[in-house]
Amino acid sequence: MTTARAQGVGFRSERGPILIALMLSTGLVAIDSTIVATAVPSIVRDVGGFSSFPWLFSAYLLAQAVTVPIYGKLSDMAGRKPIILTGIGLFLLGSVLCGFAWSMPSLIAFRALQGLGAGAVLPVSITIAGDIYTLQERAKVQGYLASVWAVSSVVGPSLGGIFSALGIWRGIFLVNVPLCLLAGWMLVRTLHENVERAKHKVDYAGAVLLAGSLGLLILGALQGGQAWAWNSPISIGVFVVGAVLLAAFLLVERRAAEPILPSWVVSRRLLATTALVSFGVGTVMIGLTSYVPTFLEGALSSSPLVAGLALAALTLGWPLSASQAGRFYLRIGFKSTALIGIAISVAGLLILSLTAGAPNVALIAVSCFVVGLGLGLLATPTLIAAQSSVPWHERGVVTSTNMFARSIGSALGVAVFGAVANAIYGRSSGGEGDPATVVAASGAVFLAALVAGLLTVAGVLAMPAVKAETAEPAAEPVEEPVDPEPVSSPEGGSSHGRAV
């Protein structure tokens, strides 16, 4: 087995340029998830289509979610570098086209193209980090990557507000251009792979059926109760066709030489349980990110900036604990660390639920911060446990499956939480404009998020107790980010920083 010789994890280390490139790549997706919402009023005033603007988000999320498993498999077959560069290229093209969109339908279509790129960028970035850093280093690296989301939660809305105020909303998309070019250039220069070339039989049928089935099922979850009633013919039709395509996908995968989503992903206990945990993380996250701003703005008439900063506490707590997770799982194991994390998150959700009847900005921010601390100790060790249990040629599928489970959790969370909130709004004469109704609806959503957190505890308890020191597989192919010049090792030799 070839291991990554540690030369430090920071920006000035041997692998620092790759880490910076991965953070830039992650930043593309992170900023985009927050910057667009702020500029929606300006976009609608310019190109129209107010009734269709929710599709700016749905089209992006759908395209991203359904392609994650496909990109993961392709990265195991062709290597990480070509797949992440393809993703950055698609994101760049989509961003440029969004900047020149002439109508809401065209903007929605180009947002979907951005989503196709994002589906490769995020999971492959995390997979590369798993390749080039040792088990001891990965938690700290995940802290670096998670910090990108913390910064983006503040920078994104601020940039969106500035561009909107200046009347140049197209800048929110064109700002991606230099970031894409810089990230791509750094990856081309610094990431060098030694991938074993072999003939592969691409599972085209499985990829098409998987994308189609998941696209329809996620679409039904996102739009049910919003764009159409749950019991409407279109809702039933979407779910039925999606289920039929999913059944066809499962049949095709049985015969595929190299299935796009191998059965071992769900048959191995560690991988199945960590995916369930990721599903729970996605559900809890969407409950807070979707309803905390609405809660504060509707109940306390807080400004969007104040509400956004209160929510930002969630993404500030996450990287703080994620960067320290390695100290825990190396001593007490992945499962015990995850149990501590989910316990902290549940405590934060409990505080949020119990105090929802008496809204307070500071208390909401503290609760979000506590939940973020817990999620950092939950999501990081479970992802690293899954990555560390497989060799290089399976790590892309495992990482993408974990990320995909989080996306599914978010999609179903939107549907469930939306149904809960809408049921309360529907019974109130004041609707969304009545502060008391907003408090009741948001409180119910926070309670539902608490239930999701408690259910996630079951997933953590079902995890096998794997020790960190025995988690790495016995042997795997070489993945090699090589510097142009050898770097002297502490022992006086040289190292190229080969990945685990």
Side-chain angles (χ1 to χ4, degrees):
M1 180 177 68
T2 308
T3 59
R5 296 190 179 99
Q7 299 290 338
V9 176
F11 298 142
R12 300 181 65 182
S13 68
E14 173 185 0
R15 294 155 294 177
I18 301 178
L19 177 59
I20 294 172
L22 296 181
M23 292 179 70
L24 282 171
S25 302
T26 302
L28 295 172
V29 180
I31 291 179
D32 193 80
S33 65
T34 58
I35 195 173
V36 177
T38 315
V40 163
S42 299
I43 294 173
V44 171
R45 281 195 301 269
D46 193 4
V47 301
F50 177 79
S51 61
S52 303
F53 87 80
W55 280 96
L56 290 176
F57 306 98
S58 296
Y60 177 90
L61 292 173
L62 272 172
Q64 179 184 10
V66 302
T67 54
V68 164
I70 297 172
Y71 285 128
K73 179 62 178 179
L74 292 177
S75 75
D76 284 341
M77 297 169 67
R80 324 296 189 210
K81 189 173 182 177
I83 302 304
I84 193 171
L85 290 177
T86 298
I88 292 173
L90 289 173
F91 196 89
L92 172 62
L93 178 60
S95 297
V96 172
L97 292 174
C98 282
F100 291 96
W102 56 90
S103 64
M104 185 61 74
S106 67
L107 185 57
I108 291 170
F110 300 146
R111 281 284 287 166
L113 182 59
Q114 273 190 308
L116 292 177
V121 170
L122 191 57
V124 178
S125 294
I126 296 174
T127 305
I128 293 172
D131 290 338
I132 69 172
Y133 289 100
T134 66
L135 181 63
Q136 290 79 7
E137 297 168 328
R138 288 176 199 165
K140 190 172 182 179
V141 172
Q142 289 298 325
Y144 275 95
L145 296 177
S147 69
V148 174
W149 292 89
V151 173
S152 300
S153 67
V154 178
V155 173
S158 300
L159 280 178
I162 291 171
F163 283 126
S164 297
L166 295 175
I168 49 173
W169 63 264
R170 297 176 188 275
I172 68 174
F173 298 109
L174 298 179
V175 75
N176 292 325
V177 173
L179 294 177
C180 287
L181 294 176
L182 181 58
W185 176 76
M186 291 189 70
L187 285 169
V188 169
R189 279 184 56 88
T190 61
L191 180 61
H192 303 278
E193 296 181 305
N194 183 14
V195 181
E196 182 182 348
R197 300 299 174 187
K199 266 196 170 184
H200 293 283
K201 191 170 183 180
V202 181
D203 182 17
Y204 294 109
V208 171
L209 289 171
L210 179 65
S213 61
L214 295 179
L216 288 173
L217 293 174
I218 296 173
L219 175 65
L222 288 173
Q223 298 300 315
Q226 306 288 332
W228 52 68
W230 286 108
N231 58 352
S232 65
I234 187 172
S235 180
I236 296 172
V238 164
F239 282 114
V240 168
V241 175
V244 169
L245 291 179
L246 183 60
F249 165 74
L250 294 175
L251 291 175
V252 167
E253 293 303 272
R254 289 184 177 181
R255 299 184 178 90
E258 295 186 67
I260 206 75
L261 194 62
S263 60
W264 53 258
V265 172
V266 293
S267 63
R268 297 179 190 175
R269 183 179 164 191
L270 177 63
L271 301 183
T273 51
T274 51
L276 286 174
V277 171
S278 186
F279 179 94
V281 169
T283 306
V284 170
M285 283 286 291
I286 200 67
L288 270 59
T289 54
S290 299
Y291 287 91
V292 164
T294 302
F295 176 53
L296 292 176
E297 292 176 36
L300 295 177
S301 299
S302 300
S303 68
L305 179 60
V306 170
L309 290 176
L311 180 61
L314 177 73
T315 49
L316 289 174
W318 187 312
L320 286 177
S321 59
S323 63
Q324 300 301 313
R327 297 176 181 270
F328 288 89
Y329 68 64
L330 289 173
R331 291 184 180 181
I332 62 176
F334 296 113
K335 181 175 181 178
S336 297
T337 304
L339 282 172
I340 294 173
I342 188 60
I344 295 173
S345 292
V346 167
L349 291 168
L350 181 61
I351 296 171
L352 192 62
S353 300
L354 293 176
T355 59
N360 179 282
V361 175
L363 191 56
I364 294 296
V366 170
S367 299
C368 288
F369 182 75
V370 172
V371 173
L373 283 176
L375 292 180
L377 289 177
L378 173 65
T380 300
T382 50
L383 172 61
I384 293 175
Q387 285 184 329
S388 301
S389 69
V390 296
W392 183 92
H393 66 276
E394 294 179 349
R395 192 171 291 143
V397 167
V398 166
T399 305
S400 63
T401 301
N402 193 278
M403 302 303 296
F404 175 68
R406 190 180 300 180
S407 297
I408 294 295
S410 296
L412 292 182
V414 166
V416 173
F417 297 147
V420 169
N422 290 336
I424 295 176
Y425 286 131
R427 292 198 300 266
S428 170
S429 57
E432 298 178 15
D434 178 25
T437 305
V438 172
V439 169
S442 301
V445 169
F446 298 153
L447 182 60
L450 173 61
V451 172
L454 292 172
L455 292 176
T456 305
V457 174
V460 179
L461 290 173
M463 284 179 59
V466 180
K467 293 183 179 180
E469 61 266 24
T470 60
E472 296 287 5
E476 52 186 306
V478 177
E479 168 89 355
E480 193 170 358
V482 184
D483 283 328
E485 297 294 334
V487 179
S488 296
S489 68
E491 292 78 11
S494 64
S495 168
H496 289 291
R498 294 184 178 183
V500 175

